[in-house]
């Protein structure tokens, strides 16, 4: 059951999946995440790939390794993830939308009205 991926390396997909689980509360602050071996067995991937996914999140400050105990969600982990995703959202969606709105002659009020129209 290899994680579904979009052409990106599996370790990146797995790291994003664990990050999603953290943001959804499946792994609260200070809780343990599955070990490298558990992830490798569950997804039927090489343990090095699973370790690389966890290492990526450790390097970001999202997870912390406690020697001999396991890998845990850092107290600042969820906020680090939210901030990274806000930044990516702005880069990937907001800036292009603002540029297109300017080309169309839409004002900020026009954009807000369009967003409110589509929000539940």
């Amino acid at each position: 059951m290899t994680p579904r991926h979009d052409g990106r390396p599996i370790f990146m997909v797995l790291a994003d999946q664990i990050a999603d689980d953290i943001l959804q509360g499946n792994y609260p602050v200070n809780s343990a995440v599955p070990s490298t071996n558990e992830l490798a067995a569950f997804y039927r991937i090489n343990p090095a790939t699973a370790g690389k996914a966890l290492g990526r999140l450790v390097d970001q400050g999202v997870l912390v390794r406690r020697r001999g105990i396991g890998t845990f969600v850092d107290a600042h982990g969820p906020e680090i993830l939210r901030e990274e995703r806000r930044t990516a959202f702005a880069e990937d969606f907001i800036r292009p939308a603002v540029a297109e709105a300017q080309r169309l002659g839409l004002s900020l009020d026009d954009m807000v009205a369009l967003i409110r129209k589509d929000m539940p």
Side-chain angles (χ1 to χ4, degrees):
M1 177 177 186
T2 304
R4 292 184 179 195
H5 59 95
D6 52 8
R8 294 180 302 145
I10 293 172
F11 81 92
M12 292 178 78
V13 175
L14 182 55
D16 286 347
Q17 189 170 331
I18 294 166
D20 287 345
D21 286 341
I22 291 168
L23 288 173
Q24 291 172 10
N26 296 333
Y27 301 119
V29 168
N30 295 320
S31 69
V33 296
S35 71
T36 297
N37 290 332
E38 290 169 332
L39 290 169
F42 182 78
Y43 290 111
R44 297 181 186 165
I45 59 175
N46 188 307
T49 301
K52 201 167 177 183
L54 292 175
R56 179 179 174 87
L57 294 169
V58 169
D59 291 346
Q60 289 175 285
V62 174
L63 299 178
V64 61
R65 287 193 170 115
R66 296 183 186 151
R67 189 176 178 104
I69 300 174
T71 306
F72 297 81
V73 178
D74 186 81
H76 302 289
E79 188 52 39
I80 289 169
L81 290 172
R82 279 191 285 277
E83 185 55 37
E84 285 179 359
R85 291 198 178 185
R86 282 184 202 111
T87 299
F89 181 75
E91 290 288 326
D92 296 343
F93 299 101
I94 301 300
R95 286 193 179 100
V98 168
E100 182 65 12
Q102 289 173 334
R103 284 190 289 275
L104 296 173
L106 296 173
S107 69
L108 178 59
D109 289 337
D110 294 334
M111 288 185 67
V112 170
L114 287 169
I115 291 168
R116 284 198 172 127
K117 177 182 167 190
D118 287 334
M119 292 290 288

